Amino acid sequence: MDPSNQAAAPAKKPKLAQALKTVDNKELKSTGFWLNQVFLVLSTIFGVYLAAQSGLEQALKFDSYSKMEDNFYLRTSLYDEVNDNANNIRAYAARLAKSPPSSEMQYHKPTLEKYIWQTMQYSPTTLETPSIFLTQVRRFYSRAEYVVEAVLKRQMSARQASIELNKITDIIEKQTLPQLQASALHLQQELKKNDIIIGSLKDSSNAN
């Protein structure tokens, strides 16, 4: 190897290192460089925060609307069940008003369907249902069963039992059921205001 080349090579290295050192120092001493780095870090943190916040907000909204939809179904189902039972009690009261024989009263004894009512005790949505509805339904079932059993055991006359059954049926039909139905429709309207059609949340969750 040419000695002149060997001498030139070591000379280039210090010059190159010195040049790089000069550039780096200038960049590091530059205020703009540090500001850019700070803004980059802050924008990254802020972006992650906004994404997390948006995701949490969407999750909370979905949970709230899903519970609202569940409660709509519960109130609607309870309405249908109580309405059917009220119709049966009303028909039995009309029969008792004629003072039929015991065999006829026993044969036509009404059966109160309580599938929804009993299932509600296992549903967390039940606690989101206004207590006034739960109280009135409970009283209706309890009183209706008591009066029916009393007349069948001859502890109450058929005519008196008819009066009692009509009285409690009036309350459930004229007060409880209309209010219960109105509350279910209110939930449906609230969901509609937020562009949610009943059943759409369940469909989307099933699809996922």
Side-chain angles (χ1 to χ4, degrees):
M1 180 178 294
D2 188 351
S4 61
N5 292 337
Q6 290 181 347
K12 289 182 179 179
K13 289 183 179 179
K15 289 182 179 181
L16 180 60
Q18 185 65 31
L20 290 174
K21 183 177 180 181
T22 303
V23 172
D24 290 341
N25 286 339
K26 287 181 179 179
E27 287 293 332
L28 291 176
K29 291 179 181 178
S30 172
T31 303
F33 171 79
W34 286 110
L35 286 177
N36 287 337
Q37 296 303 310
V38 171
F39 285 138
L40 179 62
V41 173
L42 290 179
S43 63
T44 301
I45 294 174
F46 189 62
V48 172
Y49 170 78
L50 288 180
Q53 192 73 7
S54 177
L56 177 61
E57 183 179 351
Q58 291 299 320
L60 291 175
K61 282 184 178 181
F62 179 84
D63 183 64
S64 176
Y65 293 147
S66 183
K67 287 181 178 179
M68 193 179 296
E69 185 181 25
D70 288 342
N71 204 261
F72 167 81
Y73 285 127
L74 183 143
R75 296 184 197 186
T76 302
S77 298
L78 181 62
Y79 172 89
D80 291 338
E81 181 178 84
V82 176
N83 186 55
D84 289 344
N85 287 328
N87 289 335
N88 291 336
I89 292 297
R90 181 76 76 185
Y92 192 64
R95 186 177 297 277
L96 293 179
K98 301 175 183 178
S99 298
S102 297
S103 58
E104 183 178 341
M105 290 190 295
Q106 182 66 47
Y107 180 79
H108 292 283
K109 175 185 176 181
T111 299
L112 295 179
E113 300 294 340
K114 294 183 179 180
Y115 175 77
I116 301 300
W117 180 249
Q118 292 175 346
T119 302
M120 285 173 62
Q121 63 183 306
Y122 304 107
S123 172
T125 310
T126 300
L127 300 179
E128 298 175 17
T129 304
S131 59
I132 184 64
F133 300 139
L134 304 179
T135 299
Q136 291 176 345
V137 171
R138 174 179 57 79
R139 289 174 178 172
F140 169 68
Y141 282 157
S142 178
R143 186 60 182 171
E145 289 176 337
Y146 171 80
V147 172
V148 170
E149 290 300 322
V151 73
L152 292 177
K153 294 177 180 178
R154 296 183 177 277
Q155 296 173 345
M156 183 184 296
S157 69
R159 288 185 179 275
Q160 182 60 34
S162 176
I163 293 173
E164 290 292 326
L165 291 178
N166 277 318
K167 186 186 299 183
I168 62 174
T169 305
D170 282 341
I171 295 175
I172 209 73
E173 287 183 340
K174 296 178 181 179
Q175 296 180 23
T176 308
L177 288 177
Q179 293 173 359
L180 182 59
Q181 185 178 47
S183 71
L185 291 176
H186 176 71
L187 292 178
Q188 186 179 36
Q189 291 170 357
E190 285 297 313
L191 290 170
K192 189 175 181 179
K193 285 180 183 178
N194 292 278
D195 298 323
I196 296 175
I197 305 239
I198 293 295
S200 61
L201 291 179
K202 296 294 180 294
D203 291 341
S204 61
S205 62
N206 289 335
N208 294 331

